[in-house]
Each structure stands twice: as C-alpha cells, then as structure tokens.
Amino acid sequence: MIRKFLRRVFRRDTSHSAEPALIPVALHGISRDRVSPASRRICTVLQEAGFRAYVVGGAVRDLIAGIAPKDFDVATDATPEQVRQLFRRSRIIGRRFRIVHVMSGPETIEVSTFRAHLSDDASTDEHGRILADNVWGSIAEDATRRDFTVNALYYNPTDETVIDYHHGVGDLKQKTLRIIGDSQARYREDPVRMLRAIRLATKLDLVIDPVARAPIRELADLLGNVPAARLFDEMLKLLTSGQSVGCLKRLREEGLHKGLLPLLDVILEQPQGERFVWLALENTDERVRAGKPVSPGFLFATLLWHEVLSNWEARKAREEPLQPALFEAMNEVLDQQAEQLAITRKISADIKEIWALQPRFERRSGKTPFRLLEQARFRAGYDFLRLRALSGEIALEIPEWWDRFADANPEERGVLLQPERDPGARNKRRRRRRKTPGEGLPETNT
C-alpha cells in the first residue's frame, strides 16, 4: 500500500498538469520546528490576511536533503505593496525583480510575489536575458518560472505539506538535477542558472540531467553579459558552499570557469599557484562544514594572491620601492578583476589589508612584531601567511616563529626577536630623512 502511494506521489508527470502533488510530512520529513520562526510568522500573517504564503525554494530543498538552510525565503500572491503594508519593518528592493525584505529580530526574510509566465513582449536583451520581471501570476505559473525542479517546492508551515508541481521531491530523492522547461531558453533568460546548476549538483551530490547539461558549454560565453554584481554574488555562494573544491573542478570540466576569475585561469596553470589555491579552498570547505565563519575577503585574497605576487616581483625587479610596489600591484590586480566580478568596497579593503601585512611578517626584529600583533587583521594575515608556507612559497619556519612569538610572554618575546640586520643603515636612513635648514628650497640666482 505504502509503495503504491510513493510511486503515485513521485512518478514523473509528463502531461504538465497544473495539479501539483501534495506531499505530507511523513514523506518529506520537514516539521515546522525546523523552519525559522521569522519565516513561519510571515507566512501566518499573510495567510491570516487572506493571502497564500509558503516557504519556498532552497530552504525546502535543503531541509529535505538533510542540510541546514542558510536562509529562508517566502513566496506569496500578495503584491510587494501589500506585503509592505502588513510588516512595519520591511522595505521593497530591486528593479528587475521587485521583492520585499522583511526584518524580524536578527533575521531578514526575502518575500517575493508569484511570477506569471513570460509574455512575448517581455523585456529582454539581444541574447534573451530577462531585464524586467514584475508581472504577477499564480503559484502554478511561479513554479514553472523557477529554474530547477528541486527549487520549485513550496512548504506550508500551517499544515506541514509540500506542494510539488514538477516532481522536485522525487528528483531530489533520485539524485537528479533537472531544469524546468527548455534548457537553452532558460539559460538564455538567466545565464547565472548555469553556475547554479554546478553549485547545486556539487552541494547535493546530484547528477545533472543530460538535457540540462548539454547546452552549458555552448552557452558559457553568455556569462560575460551578466552584471558583475550578480556574478560576484553567485561566485561567493559557490565558494562558500562547503564544496568549493568540487564546484571549481566541475566549472572547469564544463568550461564555465573562463572569465569568471580571469586571473585565476592563469594561476591554475602554475604549479605553486595551483597548490596555493587548492589549499585555500580546502581550508574554506573545512571551515564551512565545521560551522565556522568564512571571510569573503580572505577567500578572494587567496584566489588572487599569486597574480599580485607576480606583479609585485616584476616591480621589485625594476627597483621600485618595496611597499609602494606592493600597493601598485594590489590595485592593478583588483582593477582587472573588477571588470568581471564587482567585489564590494568593504571586501576589497579586507583583501588589501591581508596582502599589505605579508611583508611585515618578514621583519622579526625591533618593534615591528609587537605592533603587528596589535593589528586587527593579524589573525587573518597570519592564516594567509601559513597557507603561503604550506604551498611552498615561503619557508615554514616563518609562521612557526610567529606561532611561538604570539604565544610567548613579554620576556620570552624579547628573547625570540632576531637581531637587527644593520642598525647603522637604519640610522643613516634616519639622518637622510632629516632636512637641513633651507633643504628642498629652489635655488635662486643672485
């Protein structure tokens, strides 16, 4: 009896019927206490106001797969203005896709209105990418508009049922990632879906359905038409998924990595640079899986370091001053990368701080080590230094010395300090910096 019911619920519907499968909690396993209180409350308020409202998409998918969701989204038939009226702490954001951010305690829940089918006169660019999408529709239309079947799932916290229009629960249990609709058209509408396919397949250990996989290599160039800010957001999700190593390998297999991190393409062709990158990504994955925080600034600092290093070495060979040469190299590399990925100003500042600390770790005499310990970014800079040593770029003795120095008491630190290389040279530099009266003034003819 139970087997017949399972087959009936999870069989693929080839007729594209508008009637969804209503899957009870006994089969999908999501009890309401596993859903964030804020998203439950938002659904309740909307439903009591006469609207339909469900937890939707990635959170439902992850809960069924046994993964703790990073965030919870809500979908409803209420318009953004109607949602805004119901929640005092909320704001409407976006132009291309208007949604509402509802703040509840420490949580911010993204509430979107059901989208309608695309009309023939929908606003798109010459490649088919959707430029505006604010036409509201039914839940059935909204499900069809979603990218993959495992994302077209709607959970009702009130009765704990999952509404499934496209066999998403069955695909998830059968470890298959299928796209909804024509794959070419769906990727042209939003090329970021190709990156999302790689991320989801790797994260959930799914096999990408041949129909969904076939056009990816052919359409990879469309990513060059995506706004840099969106690409950055998607790459950040991919790199902090806990499966960044697997994701990057699959991106390369599918031909999607070219142009996403342009300088990374070069780095991965250098043995030392490649080892450094893989060590950094493995370290990030371990932290994510252990529930530890991950700094985007640290992550991108590792991915782009070897291009900075190469640029810096070239400048030093031209006898440019050490620290100014590093800053010039940093700016040049970040400017090149910004053409493809819109790394935020804050993250760029974090990246630069980590890079700028590296030469200071070389100086282990005088007052420099004590001052460096007081730097707010010391720990991040040290972790970065250790990765450099593990990859073979610098001697492991350097981070090991800093380990001992950081853990030592004040007296022991004094013993650990290395002698000044040439104290006399420092005094000479200081004397040169002192100007005599009239120094630097232009000469005049008398």
Side-chain angles (χ1 to χ4, degrees):
M1 189 76 177
I2 293 176
R3 287 180 181 175
K4 287 182 180 179
F5 181 70
L6 286 170
R7 281 198 297 270
R8 188 168 66 252
V9 170
F10 293 140
R11 74 175 184 271
R12 176 161 298 282
D13 182 4
T14 58
S15 65
H16 304 289
S17 169
E19 290 300 318
L22 299 179
I23 303 174
V25 64
L27 294 181
H28 60 67
I30 307 174
S31 58
R32 64 173 61 87
D33 59 358
R34 295 176 62 198
V35 177
S36 81
S39 60
R40 293 202 311 262
R41 173 180 165 272
I42 289 168
C43 287
T44 299
V45 170
L46 285 165
Q47 289 173 2
E48 288 178 350
F51 300 107
R52 301 181 74 176
Y54 308 93
V55 177
V56 68
V60 184
R61 175 200 69 218
D62 287 353
L63 286 170
I64 293 173
I67 299 171
K70 288 186 177 180
D71 46 45
F72 289 81
D73 298 334
V74 169
T76 178
D77 57 356
T79 65
E81 290 76 16
Q82 290 170 327
V83 174
R84 177 73 183 85
Q85 290 172 1
L86 289 171
F87 299 96
R88 182 176 58 84
R89 294 184 61 215
S90 64
R91 65 178 185 271
I92 298 174
I93 66 167
R95 293 181 181 179
R96 178 172 172 250
F97 298 104
R98 291 175 66 226
I99 58 175
V100 184
H101 276 177
V102 178
M103 284 69 77
S104 179
E107 290 186 81
T108 298
I109 304 297
E110 185 176 288
V111 181
S112 61
T113 303
F114 298 148
R115 256 77 181 177
H117 290 306
L118 275 179
S119 62
D120 293 337
D121 60 349
S123 178
T124 61
D125 67 10
E126 68 272 22
H127 303 289
R129 184 172 67 89
I130 300 173
L131 300 177
D133 186 18
N134 294 304
V135 180
W136 319 130
S138 66
I139 183 175
E141 290 176 302
D142 189 74
T144 302
R145 289 291 310 278
R146 293 186 179 268
D147 47 13
F148 302 102
T149 62
V150 297
N151 287 338
L153 301 172
Y154 301 76
Y155 175 77
N156 188 347
T158 304
D159 61 13
E160 298 183 317
T161 59
V162 166
I163 302 174
D164 183 359
Y165 280 87
H166 296 281
H167 195 260
V169 175
D171 285 343
L172 196 55
K173 292 182 179 295
Q174 293 160 9
K175 294 291 184 180
T176 303
L177 185 70
R178 300 183 195 275
I179 199 164
I180 298 172
D182 178 75
S183 55
Q184 286 244 5
R186 301 314 303 277
Y187 291 145
R188 288 186 181 279
E189 287 173 5
D190 186 0
V192 168
R193 286 172 178 152
M194 294 184 284
L195 296 179
R196 201 171 297 143
I198 300 300
R199 175 167 59 86
L200 293 180
T202 307
K203 174 184 175 181
L204 300 170
D205 191 25
L206 306 179
V207 174
I208 302 177
D209 178 61
V211 173
R213 183 181 180 186
I216 288 179
R217 187 173 292 273
E218 175 191 342
L219 301 178
D221 289 345
L222 293 179
L223 288 170
N225 191 43
V226 175
R230 283 205 69 218
L231 273 185
F232 174 74
D233 288 343
E234 191 60 35
M235 282 301 296
L236 192 56
K237 289 178 183 178
L238 185 148
L239 293 169
T240 58
S241 65
Q243 299 290 340
S244 65
V245 171
C247 284
L248 191 54
K249 287 180 177 177
R250 288 183 86 155
L251 283 177
R252 296 178 78 184
E253 289 171 5
E254 301 298 339
L256 284 175
H257 69 295
K258 293 291 182 184
L260 286 173
L261 290 166
L263 303 180
L264 186 58
D265 298 344
V266 178
I267 293 164
L268 291 176
E269 295 170 2
Q270 306 167 2
Q272 192 177 79
E274 184 175 26
R275 176 165 170 72
F276 181 80
V277 167
W278 292 129
L279 280 171
L281 293 177
E282 286 166 4
N283 174 265
T284 299
D285 288 345
E286 287 172 7
R287 291 186 66 85
V288 171
R289 290 195 285 264
K292 296 179 180 178
V294 173
S295 162
F298 183 89
L299 182 55
F300 279 96
T302 59
L303 293 177
L304 301 175
W305 168 246
H306 270 259
E307 191 64 22
V308 172
L309 185 61
S310 175
N311 192 310
W312 188 29
E313 292 295 340
R315 292 175 182 276
K316 286 192 290 183
R318 297 195 295 268
E319 299 185 350
E320 294 183 25
L322 185 71
Q323 202 73 11
L326 175 59
F327 277 89
E328 288 296 325
M330 288 159 43
N331 289 333
E332 187 173 320
V333 168
L334 285 173
D335 287 346
Q336 285 179 286
Q337 191 61 59
E339 294 174 6
Q340 191 65 27
L341 293 180
I343 299 175
T344 64
R345 188 173 300 176
K346 181 184 182 306
I347 292 176
S348 291
D350 291 342
I351 293 171
K352 288 181 177 181
E353 285 185 39
I354 292 169
W355 286 342
L357 288 176
Q358 297 311 300
R360 299 179 63 180
F361 283 108
E362 301 285 344
R363 301 195 287 271
R364 290 172 280 163
S365 58
K367 295 181 180 179
T368 298
F370 295 95
R371 291 171 179 158
L372 192 52
L373 284 177
E374 296 171 359
Q375 289 287 327
R377 303 290 293 173
F378 169 79
R379 189 71 221 179
Y382 166 79
D383 289 342
F384 192 89
L385 180 81
R386 191 160 194 76
L387 279 175
R388 292 174 62 203
L390 291 173
S391 70
E393 180 194 327
I394 59 173
L396 194 56
E397 180 265 335
I398 299 175
E400 287 176 346
W401 184 91
W402 280 98
D403 267 335
R404 295 192 298 273
F405 187 77
D407 293 338
N409 61 43
E411 290 183 4
E412 292 170 336
R413 285 176 180 172
V415 174
L416 285 169
L417 288 175
Q418 295 183 349
E420 293 277 4
R421 290 184 179 179
D422 186 358
R426 176 185 289 185
N427 292 333
K428 288 177 185 177
R429 287 195 301 271
R430 284 177 178 170
R431 282 196 297 271
R432 282 199 300 268
R433 284 198 293 269
R434 294 187 190 127
K435 292 185 177 180
T436 58
E439 182 183 354
L441 296 177
E443 295 182 2
T444 58
N445 295 322
T446 57

